Amino acid sequence: LRFRSRPSWFDNVKFGIFIHWGVFSVPSFETEWYWHQLKSGNPVFVEFHNRVYGCSGIQPEKFPCTGPAFSYADFAPMFKAELFDPDHWADVFKKSGAKYVVLTSKHHEGWCNFPSAQHWNWNSMDVGAHRDLLG
């Protein structure tokens, strides 16, 4: 990417919107890097997850948990996007004066907001919303 130049209009635009939206929106705890923080054993995330959702299975010797198992993947069916109205979003963005909108299509943990044969059962068409959130 360092060899790609920005579009000529980009440096002149004063306002744009970036949307980071995915499975991590279900727990909505601190950061979109929830999965990474959980997997890396960040005590704040592991203790929160174990207390609120169930046993993460992350470092059980360090974070003992007696409740039911609940992995990060268990959030996917809960990411339903039931209030998602792209026409309304577009109207709000236009009225805001935004000159561009960037919607994250795939996050670091592999979740896709679009149908994907390469990410079977880990995308918005197969699980949760059961719709293409980009197209």
Side-chain angles (χ1 to χ4, degrees):
L1 291 176
R2 64 183 166 164
F3 298 110
R4 289 192 177 184
S5 59
R6 290 184 301 273
S8 59
W9 56 264
F10 187 80
D11 289 330
N12 298 319
V13 174
K14 302 298 181 202
F15 178 53
I17 296 173
F18 281 81
I19 303 168
H20 219 75
W21 191 38
V23 172
F24 54 85
S25 302
V26 175
S28 297
F29 183 71
E30 295 214 8
T31 176
E32 68 276 7
W33 286 82
Y34 186 93
W35 175 79
H36 174 75
Q37 294 295 330
L38 187 66
K39 291 300 246 182
S40 66
N42 181 322
V44 172
F45 286 79
V46 178
E47 290 168 3
F48 168 81
H49 186 97
N50 289 353
R51 183 180 73 252
V52 175
Y53 295 104
C55 298
S56 63
I58 305 296
Q59 301 177 23
E61 65 288 344
K62 185 175 179 181
F63 304 105
C65 184
T66 58
F70 192 95
S71 71
Y72 180 78
D74 292 324
F75 287 125
M78 301 165 77
F79 181 58
K80 297 188 180 291
E82 62 267 23
L83 300 178
F84 178 52
D85 179 350
D87 292 330
H88 177 71
W89 282 28
D91 186 51
V92 169
F93 299 152
K94 184 175 182 179
K95 288 177 180 175
S96 77
K99 300 302 181 194
Y100 63 89
V101 176
V102 177
L103 174 59
T104 302
S105 59
K106 182 178 177 191
H107 195 57
H108 74 279
E109 87 290 59
W111 175 264
C112 300
N113 282 328
F114 57 90
S116 173
Q118 288 73 39
H119 295 276
W120 178 84
N121 218 30
W122 194 240
N123 66 73
S124 65
M125 186 63 82
D126 292 341
V127 184
H130 296 287
R131 66 188 276 195
D132 183 347
L133 299 174
L134 296 181

